[in-house]
Amino acid sequence: MGLRPNLLTRRAAGVASTTLALLLSTAAVGVVPAASALSAAPGASCAEPTDVHSDARVKKGGSAKLDPNELTAKQVRDREADLAAALRERANFRAGAGATTLATVTVPVVVHVIQRDTTRAGGNIPDSMVTAQIDVLNEAYGGATGGAPTAFGFQLQKVHHVTNAAWYPIVQGSSAERQMKTSLREGGKNTLNIYLGELSDNLLGWATFPKRKLDSMDGVVALSESLPGGTATNYNQGDTGTHEVGHWLNLYHTFQGGCSGSGDSVSDTPAESSPAFQCPTGRDTCTTAGLDPITNFMDYTYDSCMYQFTPGQASRMLTAWNAYRAA
């Protein structure tokens, strides 16, 4: 696959240009759900996985304190068993209460801008960057960038600027991160809370997977300068947000599981042995059919390279929404 023609037409005016000569290659690191014993048998009682972070994108030279890269095969089995159990619970609820399965979803979004002070250098980005990020999400998830349309649209409810030096930068997995989210998170399971700021360890972002029981850690964290118009060269067109919201909606990385097994649990994303960086057109790391999906939002390429979800990913996200996040 190559670059989509006129890719930058969807980007906000004034976005800093990308250059392949400046390497900000990411490394796939993040915190993943702890393994838990689940039964996929119909009617079985299942303990849901304890999710922390599903993914963390890292700038070149950065390193996270935790480095699970991707889910283990057991963690994927546990998550898939939990999804099956959640779907059974949902089906039983619909049968008893007459609830309907959603075909289209408008996701309310609350954005928390975490800043050290009121300067741009201290994290105080303009609200125009936030609204541009919401536009990017709607275009990406609506199929306007060249991929499959999904059921999801995003509606900004609030931009909340918070000046708190103790939370800046946002440190992945820290007690300060938990305190921040516990203090600030708004809405129910259907509300996307996005936390923006400078991040620890040169990270670009991380996210949580959906769970049957809401907890305060639920949401997406992203580097504020990765938003459209930001200063994170090669990653300043808003697709860190697109990628992390994909995890929040239950997508794995395209390279999950490498060349064997169930991979990312989506049949129409070709297997990929490892994350792709920059935009390596024609990359093919597995013997199975199809080139590596380097233009998929769930890989690790430059923002200028990624532009699509697949129909299978769209279906998986909607299935997970109806299992975990629908009212």
Side-chain angles (χ1 to χ4, degrees):
M1 302 178 195
L3 287 173
R4 179 173 60 84
N6 302 317
L7 179 66
L8 296 182
T9 59
R10 76 177 174 93
R11 310 300 188 182
V15 171
S17 63
T18 60
T19 170
L20 296 182
L22 296 176
L23 303 182
L24 284 172
S25 301
T26 61
V29 300
V31 184
V32 295
S36 55
L38 299 176
S39 169
S45 175
C46 295
E48 63 182 332
T50 303
D51 287 334
V52 186
H53 302 308
S54 63
D55 166 68
R57 300 178 76 193
V58 184
K59 299 177 186 177
K60 184 184 179 184
S63 61
K65 294 177 181 177
L66 299 171
D67 186 16
N69 271 355
E70 55 192 275
L71 304 181
T72 66
K74 184 180 188 307
Q75 287 166 329
V76 169
R77 289 195 300 270
D78 287 350
R79 283 210 56 82
E80 295 307 296
D82 188 72
L83 175 59
L87 288 169
R88 288 194 299 271
E89 287 182 1
R90 185 69 181 173
N92 291 337
F93 175 73
R94 286 198 304 271
T100 58
T101 298
L102 296 176
T104 59
V105 178
T106 299
V107 180
V109 183
V110 177
V111 175
H112 310 277
V113 179
I114 310 303
Q115 53 199 53
R116 181 184 59 217
D117 51 46
T118 58
T119 67
R120 174 71 179 266
N124 185 22
I125 60 170
D127 288 1
S128 59
M129 290 175 65
V130 175
T131 56
Q133 177 66 71
I134 300 300
D135 289 343
V136 166
L137 291 178
N138 280 316
E139 290 164 358
Y141 282 84
T145 59
T150 78
F152 298 94
F154 300 86
Q155 186 174 80
L156 182 62
Q157 303 292 306
K158 179 180 181 181
V159 181
H160 182 203
H161 288 257
V162 181
T163 302
N164 189 331
W167 296 344
Y168 191 92
I170 304 171
V171 178
Q172 181 194 37
S174 67
S175 59
E177 181 197 4
R178 180 170 292 278
Q179 182 187 52
M180 175 191 73
K181 289 182 172 180
T182 300
S183 299
L184 299 179
R185 194 191 185 284
E186 298 185 17
K189 291 192 291 185
N190 69 322
T191 301
L192 171 60
N193 280 248
I194 300 177
Y195 303 86
L196 303 175
E198 181 67 21
L199 307 187
S200 65
D201 304 303
N202 286 321
L203 297 174
L204 289 167
W206 60 84
T208 56
F209 286 119
K211 297 168 60 176
R212 281 181 280 168
K213 183 178 180 181
L214 178 65
D215 68 39
S216 62
M217 297 301 287
D218 181 77
V220 163
V221 178
L223 177 69
S224 56
E225 295 295 348
S226 73
L227 271 60
T231 60
T233 306
N234 297 320
Y235 302 102
N236 58 359
Q237 297 175 13
D239 285 326
T240 290
T242 306
H243 177 104
E244 301 304 348
V245 171
H247 287 300
W248 188 78
L249 292 171
N250 210 42
L251 293 184
Y252 301 135
H253 292 129
T254 52
F255 49 87
Q256 172 64 46
C259 297
S260 61
S262 62
D264 64 352
S265 300
V266 178
S267 62
D268 59 1
T269 54
E272 183 178 28
S273 68
S274 60
F277 304 122
Q278 302 175 42
C279 194
T281 302
R283 184 177 190 253
D284 190 7
T285 57
C286 294
T287 58
T288 51
L291 298 176
D292 290 358
I294 65 165
T295 58
N296 195 283
F297 287 121
M298 301 313 294
D299 207 336
Y300 270 15
T301 49
Y302 289 158
D303 283 12
S304 59
C305 187
M306 54 175 59
Y307 66 86
Q308 65 176 334
F309 292 114
T310 66
Q313 287 174 315
S315 176
R316 178 176 171 83
M317 286 187 281
L318 184 58
T319 296
W321 182 273
N322 283 306
Y324 291 114
R325 297 196 183 277

